[in-house]
Amino acid sequence: MSLSDENGLRRRSFLIGSGAVLTASMLGAPPAQASPPLPGDYDGSDLWLRYEPVADPGVLARYRAALGAIVVENADRARVHRHTANLSMAPGSTEHLVESTLAAARDELVRGLGGLLGRPVPVAGGCPDRAVVVGTPESSPLVRGLVPARDLTPLGTDGYLIRSLSRGGRRVIVIAGNTDVAALYGTFAFLRRLQAQQPVAELKLSSVPRINHRYLNYWETERLYAGNNATGTGGLDGETGAMFDFTATGASAGLNLPVILDRYLVAARAMASLGLNGLTINNVNANSFYLTPAAIEQEAALADALRPYGIKLAVSINYAAPTDARFAPDTLTREQLDPYSAQFRDWWTRRARQLQAAIPDFLGFTVKANSEGQPGPQDLGYDHGDGANGIAAAVAPLGMRIFWRTFVYNADVDPDRLKRAYLEFGPIDAEPQPDGTTGRFAGNVFLQTKNGPLDYQAREPANPLFGRMEHTNQAIELQITQEYTGQNTMLCYLGPLWEEVLKSDTYATGADGGLLAKRLVGHVVDGTAQGHPDSAIVGVANFGNADNLTGHHFAQANLYAFGRLAWDWTLPARDIAADWVRLTWSNRDFVVRAIVAMMMGSREALVSYQTPLGVAHQFRSSDHYGPNPAERLARDDWSPVYYNKADSTGLGYDRSPTGSGFTAQYFPVLAARYGDLETTPENLLMWFHHVPWDRRMRSGRIFWDELVYRYQTGVHYVSWLRQAWDSLEPHVDARRFAEVKAKLAAHEADAGSWRDTCVGYWQGFSGRAIPTDGPLAIAIVVGGRTIGGFDAGAPSSTVPLAAGASPRITKVVPADPAVRCEVLSQAAGVPGRAVVRVTGKTFFGPILKDYVFDFTR
Ligand code: BDP
C-alpha cells in the first residue's frame, strides 16, 4: 500500500461522524420502530405461494367486500388420466392430490383467498353475488353465459382472461380460458394480484403466453445447490438431496416414488403459477435407469400427481442406451446404433411406447450427444442431424418431440471452442433437401441452445445460433441453478441476465439481406422473427429437497423470474423482482424498494468481482464456485488460462477477424461491431479481443486500472448488500433474515477472494501497481496531515504516525464529492484502529467500503 499526501484528490470535506450511509431508510424506509416484530420460524417452503393475511386494513376490507364465494362449476368432472391405481401421499403430508385441473384451481382459491382474507371463502354453486367464477365455456354454463366466445378465441389454449362483470345486480369476477389449464393459469394470476395487493375492481385483463413449450430441465443431483447433500437444510435421511426420490435409501426408502411428497406438489403448484408446462426429470448426462420399466412406473406416478397442474414429463436419454445391459435381452450392439437403421429406431419406438403406455402425455426426450464424453451419432460417422432425426423419426408417430442440445464443442472442429457449435449445426440447417426445402432437421426436433456460446457464464454475448438456424425449431436454454453465479451462497438475481439476452439484438437479416423487423433473441425464440410456428424455452432448474427448495432464499427469485419470462419474455426483470418480493417477503413499499434494489445490481456486481469486462470462465474446475485464473487442465478448453490468455501485453481472447474469427458467425452488424476493439461494448471486451493493459477506456482510465476497479466495486456492492439487509431486520421474519444474513457474510468474503485472486494473478502479467484513485478513494486528515492513496481492495491499511501525533481523524476527503463518508470509530490511541465508511454509487448500484486504518508509530 502506498501512502501519499493529497494524491491529487479533489477536496471536499465531510462532517465527521454525521454522514449517512445508504440504507433502506434512504430508499424511503420509515423508522424501524414502526413495525411489529415478525414471526420467526418461517422456512421459505411455500416459495411465492404464501397467502399471508393482507396486512393493510383498507385493502383487506376491499378484498373482503369483493370476494365472497368461489364458483368452479363441474370442477371434478374432467378427471385427468391416472396410471397409478393407489397413488398416495406420504404419511403426514399437508398437501393433497387432486384429480382434475379445475379442482386444483378451486383448491388454490380456497387456500389463497382463505389465507389472504384471513377467513374461509366458501365454495358455492349458482352465481352468488361477489363470486369468483372459474372455468371454460365447456366446463361452466356460467362462464359460457358471461364471456362471449369471440373474446376467448384469441386466448389460444393457454391464455386466460380475468374480468369484473355484473349480472342481474350481482357482481362477479370471472376467470376463464379455453382449456382447464388456462383457467388454472388465470387463477394463479388472479391470486398473484391479491398477494401484491393490487386492486380487484373493474378488472379487464387477458394474457397469452408468447412461447408454447415452457419447460424445466431437472438435473437430479448434478449442479444441485439446494439439497441435503450440500450444505443445505431440510431433507430426509437416505435422500440424495434431489427433488424427486427414485432411489432414496435407509429411512427414506419407503418414501420413494410412487409415493408423493409435499414438495412435489409445492413444485407443481409453483410451476403452474408461472405457466410452466413441462419437466425433463433427469440430468442431461443421462442415466438410462429412467428408461427401465421400474423407473417408468415411478415416473408415471409423478406424472399423475403433476398432471392436474398441466405439467408433462420428459426424460433425458443417452444416445447409446440401446446397448445398456439393463435392457437385456432387448439390447443392440454398438454397430446397431446407426441412426438410419430400423433396429435403432424400433428400439426407441419400443421405449417411447412403454413410456406412453404409462404416461399418455409423455413429451419426448432431451438429448446431449457427442458432448463432454456422451455418446452420439458421430461415434458411427454420422452427424447431429442424422442422430436427432433418427430418434425423432422413432417417436414422431407417438406425437413426441426430441430436444437435441447444441452444447457441443468437439476440439477437432476448431481451436476456438465458441465456434464449434455453429460449425456443426449451421450447415445442417442450411442444407438443401431433395424436396426443394432447406434444412435437414425434422419437424419434431427442437435444437436446445444455451443463451451464450460458452456455458452459462454471468455475462455472455448471445449465442450466434439465434437467428442463424432459420430452418430449424430452436429452444433457448437458461440455467436457473446458479452453477457459475454464486451457487447457494451468493445472492445473484438472474432476471437482468436473461432480460439482457432475450432483448439483445441479433441484427438478423432476411432473404433479401435487409434487417428483420423483429429480431431480438426473444423474437427468434418465440418464432415471430422468422415465422416459426412452434417455440420453446427451457430452464435448468434449481429445485432440491432443502426446506426452501432452492438452497438460498433469493434463489427462489430466479425460478420465479424464469417462469415469468417463459410466459412473457418482454417483462422487465425489475417488475418481476418487485412482484416476487411482494409475494415472498413483504408488501410494504419501502421493503419492496429496498429488496428490489439489492436484487437488481447483484448480477452486475457478480460479473464485476468474478469476470469483469468480458473475461470468461475463470472458475476453479473442482466446483465452478471459486476462482482459479492460473488453472491449466488436460483439456485446453476447460482451462481458465485458455480463456484469459494473460500475458505481458494484455488480457482476453482475440476472436476478431485477425484472431479466431468467431465474430464472423454473427450477422453483419454484430460481426463488424464485435470484430473491432473500438466498437465492442466494454462489458464484452475480452470475449472478443486481447486488450492491451494501457488501453484508454471510456472512463478515461487505462484498462488495467479499470479492471481493478471493476473487481473492487463488485465487492463493494456486496458490502452494501450486507448493510442494506441488516437495515431490514425489523421488517423480515427472523429465520429467513438470519439465514440470508449468514449467506451474505460468506458472499462478501468469497467475492473478496475472487477479487484478490484474480487481481493478484493479473498483476503478475501487467506488472502495474494497484491504482488508488477509484470511485471510493478517500484521504484522511490526521494531526493536520492529509494522508491518501489507500488500496480500496485491502482489508486494512497501516498508517504510521509521527511520535506524539494524535490518531484522531479530523476530516475525510473523498475523491468523488458525491460519496458519503462517516467515521464509524476513532482510534483510542496509537497503536489503534479507526474505521471510516464510504458509501457511493456505481453504474449498477450502491457501493460501500469500510476503510480500516491501523495507526502505528
Ligand atoms: C456444464 C455443467 C455440466 C453440464 C453441462 C451441460 O458443468 O454439469 O453437464 O454444462 O450443460 O456447465 O451439458
Side-chain angles (χ1 to χ4, degrees):
M1 188 205 66
S2 71
L3 290 180
S4 68
D5 272 358
E6 315 249 8
N7 207 22
L9 297 170
R10 275 165 53 211
R11 295 278 216 120
R12 168 138 175 218
S13 54
F14 270 75
L15 281 177
I16 297 307
S18 67
V21 286
L22 198 59
T23 62
S25 66
M26 290 182 59
L27 294 153
Q33 72 272 13
S35 297
L38 291 167
D41 59 352
Y42 174 58
D43 59 6
S45 55
D46 289 325
L47 299 169
W48 48 88
L49 301 175
R50 287 189 91 193
Y51 300 115
E52 291 286 279
V54 174
D56 183 308
V59 177
L60 180 62
R62 282 195 291 282
Y63 284 180
R64 285 184 169 179
L67 311 168
I70 297 164
V71 177
V72 189
E73 292 177 296
N74 299 308
D76 300 305
R77 198 177 62 189
R79 292 194 176 186
V80 295
H81 171 85
R82 251 197 206 175
H83 172 80
T84 311
N86 55 347
L87 192 71
S88 61
M89 302 289 301
S93 296
T94 56
E95 296 288 322
H96 65 275
L97 292 161
V98 290
E99 295 193 48
S100 74
T101 299
L102 289 176
R106 177 196 60 206
D107 293 1
E108 198 69 30
L109 278 175
V110 168
R111 185 198 304 238
L113 294 183
L116 288 158
L117 273 53
R119 65 179 192 200
V121 176
V123 174
C127 184
D129 189 31
R130 304 183 301 122
V132 179
V133 179
V134 180
T136 71
E138 248 168 66
S139 74
S140 166
L142 205 46
V143 167
R144 206 156 53 231
L146 289 168
V147 185
R150 63 171 182 282
D151 292 0
L152 288 165
T153 310
L155 301 177
T157 54
D158 289 4
Y160 59 82
L161 59 76
I162 305 176
R163 281 190 189 168
S164 306
L165 297 169
S166 120
R167 280 292 179 284
R170 284 164 304 186
R171 296 155 303 157
V172 299
I173 292 173
V174 63
I175 302 172
N178 290 311
T179 61
D180 291 355
V181 78
L184 177 66
Y185 294 155
T187 301
F188 276 110
F190 177 68
L191 286 168
R192 182 156 75 222
R193 272 189 86 76
L194 304 181
Q195 286 174 287
Q197 301 192 3
Q198 291 170 296
V200 289
E202 311 297 328
L203 295 176
K204 194 171 195 303
L205 308 169
S206 66
S207 185
V208 180
R210 291 175 192 272
I211 297 174
N212 298 343
H213 311 291
R214 305 172 298 273
Y215 295 170
L216 294 182
N217 277 187
Y218 181 63
W219 283 3
E220 310 147 281
T221 57
E222 187 167 315
R223 310 306 177 190
L224 174 70
Y225 311 108
N228 63 352
N229 63 337
T231 54
T233 51
L236 305 162
D237 289 347
E239 291 193 305
T240 58
M243 181 76 188
F244 306 116
D245 281 344
F246 283 88
T247 55
T249 54
S252 299
L255 298 178
N256 279 317
L257 282 159
V259 175
I260 304 300
L261 306 184
D262 278 341
R263 62 176 189 250
Y264 305 170
L265 293 183
V266 174
R269 291 169 47 232
M271 285 179 70
S273 77
L274 304 167
L276 297 173
N277 56 9
L279 175 65
T280 300
I281 56 160
N282 59 317
N283 184 231
V284 288
N285 301 309
N287 185 335
S288 298
F289 159 77
Y290 291 94
L291 295 173
T292 61
I296 290 173
E297 284 302 303
Q298 294 184 295
E299 287 149 25
L302 182 60
D304 288 343
L306 269 44
R307 190 168 290 116
Y309 298 92
I311 300 160
K312 298 175 181 170
L313 295 196
V315 162
S316 286
I317 58 160
N318 179 309
Y319 183 87
T323 62
D324 194 309
R326 279 174 284 195
F327 302 107
D330 185 10
T331 51
L332 303 184
T333 64
R334 196 181 164 281
E335 292 65 39
Q336 290 171 322
L337 297 176
D338 178 332
Y340 288 96
S341 75
Q343 291 119 317
F344 180 76
R345 294 184 176 196
D346 290 349
W347 193 93
W348 283 110
T349 307
R350 282 197 295 284
R351 226 47 54 197
R353 278 223 176 88
Q354 282 175 3
L355 280 152
Q356 200 173 52
I359 309 173
D361 47 6
F362 187 77
L363 291 172
F365 299 128
T366 301
V367 193
K368 172 175 177 178
N370 291 122
S371 167
E372 299 188 327
Q374 296 299 311
Q378 294 178 341
D379 305 342
L380 290 98
Y382 292 100
D383 68 16
H384 285 284
D386 300 321
N389 287 352
I391 302 181
V395 304
L398 305 178
M400 296 179 191
R401 291 193 177 80
I402 298 301
F403 282 76
W404 191 271
R405 298 176 84 237
T406 65
F407 180 65
V408 301
Y409 52 98
N410 179 349
D412 301 337
V413 174
D414 192 276
D416 183 357
R417 169 168 164 181
L418 269 54
K419 291 172 72 179
R420 297 171 190 163
Y422 182 66
L423 289 174
E424 294 217 38
F425 285 93
I428 306 173
D429 174 77
E431 192 180 280
Q433 300 304 298
D435 64 359
T437 60
T438 306
R440 191 178 356 124
F441 284 103
N444 63 329
V445 171
F446 263 93
L447 295 185
Q448 184 168 313
T449 296
K450 292 188 184 186
N451 57 280
L454 179 52
D455 189 4
Y456 305 137
Q457 303 298 291
R459 168 165 285 118
E460 298 195 34
N463 196 314
L465 266 68
F466 293 111
R468 280 292 192 196
M469 307 296 291
E470 287 94 330
H471 312 288
T472 308
N473 297 317
Q474 202 177 5
I476 192 169
E477 179 185 296
L478 305 172
Q479 195 187 43
I480 309 167
T481 195
Q482 291 170 247
E483 177 178 2
Y484 296 100
T485 49
Q487 302 187 357
N488 60 354
T489 301
M490 294 175 177
L491 189 168
C492 182
Y493 173 50
L494 298 174
L497 190 171
W498 300 329
E499 179 174 18
E500 179 177 297
V501 172
L502 290 163
K503 293 184 182 161
S504 68
D505 198 335
T506 64
Y507 291 94
T509 49
D512 61 359
L515 288 176
L516 298 179
K518 291 184 170 181
R519 50 166 202 270
L520 304 184
V521 169
H523 292 127
V524 172
V525 172
D526 76 14
T528 54
Q530 293 161 326
H532 286 278
D534 209 1
S535 53
I537 183 166
V538 176
V540 177
N542 54 351
F543 277 133
N545 70 357
D547 289 345
N548 63 21
L549 300 184
T550 56
H552 191 307
H553 291 293
F554 278 81
Q556 296 182 353
N558 292 330
L559 198 53
Y560 181 83
F562 171 78
R564 295 293 302 277
L565 290 170
W567 184 275
D568 182 358
W569 61 267
T570 68
L571 292 177
R574 178 180 291 277
D575 294 357
I576 295 174
D579 281 356
W580 176 77
V581 174
R582 287 184 185 279
L583 275 48
T584 309
W585 295 100
S586 169
N587 258 300
R588 305 181 76 184
D589 289 338
F590 70 91
V591 178
V592 176
R593 271 197 302 275
I595 298 182
V596 169
M598 291 175 61
M599 293 165 71
M600 286 307 292
S602 60
R603 173 269 187 152
E604 195 67 53
L606 178 128
V607 169
S608 294
Y609 62 72
Q610 288 194 337
T611 48
L613 301 170
V615 63
H617 209 324
Q618 296 305 298
F619 296 85
R620 63 183 176 224
S621 59
S622 57
D623 60 0
H624 290 174
Y625 178 73
N628 192 358
E631 197 170 359
R632 188 181 299 277
L633 298 153
R635 251 196 102 141
D636 219 17
D637 54 17
W638 283 354
S639 308
V641 292
Y642 168 87
Y643 295 101
N644 65 50
K645 304 256 186 283
D647 62 22
S648 61
T649 66
L651 194 61
Y653 198 132
D654 184 0
R655 297 191 166 98
S656 72
T658 51
S660 81
F662 167 64
T663 52
Q665 291 189 356
Y666 288 93
F667 285 96
V669 171
L670 284 186
R673 183 174 298 170
Y674 294 155
D676 183 348
L677 180 55
E678 294 304 323
T679 53
T680 301
E682 285 191 343
N683 62 16
L684 295 175
L685 220 49
M686 286 184 274
W687 277 98
F688 296 112
H689 300 281
H690 191 68
V691 185
W693 295 116
D694 60 356
R695 180 188 162 72
R696 195 58 62 189
M697 303 289 285
R698 242 157 256 154
S699 61
R701 301 187 184 108
I702 61 163
F703 171 63
W704 163 251
D705 292 359
E706 183 69 26
L707 187 66
V708 173
Y709 287 140
R710 293 293 174 110
Y711 281 102
Q712 290 179 351
T713 50
V715 179
H716 294 157
Y717 183 90
V718 185
S719 303
W720 172 78
L721 275 184
R722 290 188 66 187
Q723 200 256 323
W725 186 249
D726 282 349
S727 74
L728 289 171
E729 179 162 13
H731 313 293
V732 171
D733 39 290
R735 173 172 169 182
R736 289 190 303 163
F737 175 81
E739 286 172 356
V740 171
K741 185 180 166 82
K743 298 262 182 190
L744 286 172
H747 182 170
E748 187 184 34
D750 296 343
S753 129
W754 265 93
R755 174 199 57 206
D756 297 341
T757 307
C758 294
V759 170
Y761 180 70
W762 308 142
Q763 198 176 20
F765 296 91
S766 82
R768 289 166 191 263
I770 302 295
T772 57
D773 61 348
L776 296 184
I778 55 167
I780 50 174
V781 180
V782 183
R785 222 180 108 213
T786 304
I787 309 165
F790 305 111
D791 175 359
S796 64
S797 302
T798 303
V799 182
L801 295 179
S806 154
R808 197 173 164 76
I809 299 173
T810 55
K811 218 179 199 183
V812 179
V813 189
D816 174 358
V819 306
R820 290 162 181 270
C821 305
E822 181 187 15
V823 178
L824 295 183
S825 62
Q826 296 274 13
V830 182
R833 170 170 280 197
V835 180
V836 176
R837 172 165 294 176
V838 186
T839 313
K841 236 177 181 331
T842 184
F843 69 98
F844 53 84
I847 47 176
L848 179 154
K849 161 79 185 167
D850 283 340
Y851 283 94
V852 176
F853 297 111
D854 286 321
F855 295 115
T856 59
R857 293 286 177 221

